[in-house]
Amino acid sequence: MKKVELPVSFEDDRGRIVDLLEVDGINAITLITFAPGAIRANHYHKETTQWNYVLSGEIKLVTQMPNENKKEVIMKKGELYETVPHESHALQAINEASLLVFTKGPRGGKEYESDTYRLDDPLIK
């Protein structure tokens, strides 16, 4: 996982403009909501990169690259984290939360399961 810094592109008395991503080839943008304590993912993708942007609440993100130790972070509102191909990942809501997932690769829409590989040993149980 990599936290992506979000510089302000423009700011005046009306507010700010922040570019969340400047990436070609986004295949899907998905809104995911979480009840408190809900666990999602516990999988990895072979070809897909995802960027997770927290709209509300707090979400624990646990990731693991093959043959490496687990990493864990609490994502907060307004933060963006990237997960890359072969990086196992799981999410658990600390409280009611919502997340935008920007997907580059064969995982969006009708292709949702085509690049999703469930973990035999979940990162979050």
Side-chain angles (χ1 to χ4, degrees), residues 58-71:
E58 296 179 329
I59 302 168
K60 177 168 64 173
L61 171 62
V62 179
T63 65
Q64 186 174 29
M65 290 300 288
N67 304 312
E68 293 185 12
N69 293 328
K70 291 180 189 177
K71 294 180 183 178

Side-chain angles (χ1 to χ4, degrees), residues 102-119:
F102 301 85
T103 303
K104 182 178 181 180
R107 184 180 172 287
K110 295 175 184 169
E111 299 294 320
Y112 180 79
E113 290 293 329
S114 70
D115 190 37
T116 299
Y117 301 87
R118 307 280 175 219
L119 300 175

Side-chain angles (χ1 to χ4, degrees), residues 39 41-43 62 64 70 88-90 118-125:
I39 298 170
N42 274 316
H43 60 234
V62 179
Q64 186 174 29
K70 291 180 189 177
S88 298
H89 51 279
R118 307 280 175 219
L119 300 175
D120 292 331
D121 184 17
L123 295 173
I124 301 175
K125 298 175 183 172

Side-chain angles (χ1 to χ4, degrees), residues 12-74:
D12 64 15
D13 60 340
R14 298 171 293 174
R16 295 182 192 164
I17 296 173
V18 178
D19 294 323
L20 298 180
L21 289 175
E22 293 184 59
V23 177
D24 290 328
I26 295 295
N27 298 96
I29 301 172
T30 306
L31 172 63
I32 301 175
T33 61
F34 293 79
I39 298 170
R40 294 187 178 273
N42 274 316
H43 60 234
Y44 68 96
H45 311 287
K46 290 183 180 178
E47 299 179 47
T48 300
T49 298
Q50 291 182 183
W51 293 268
N52 303 289
Y53 181 76
V54 181
L55 292 172
S56 65
E58 296 179 329
I59 302 168
K60 177 168 64 173
L61 171 62
V62 179
T63 65
Q64 186 174 29
M65 290 300 288
N67 304 312
E68 293 185 12
N69 293 328
K70 291 180 189 177
K71 294 180 183 178
E72 182 177 315
V73 66
I74 303 297

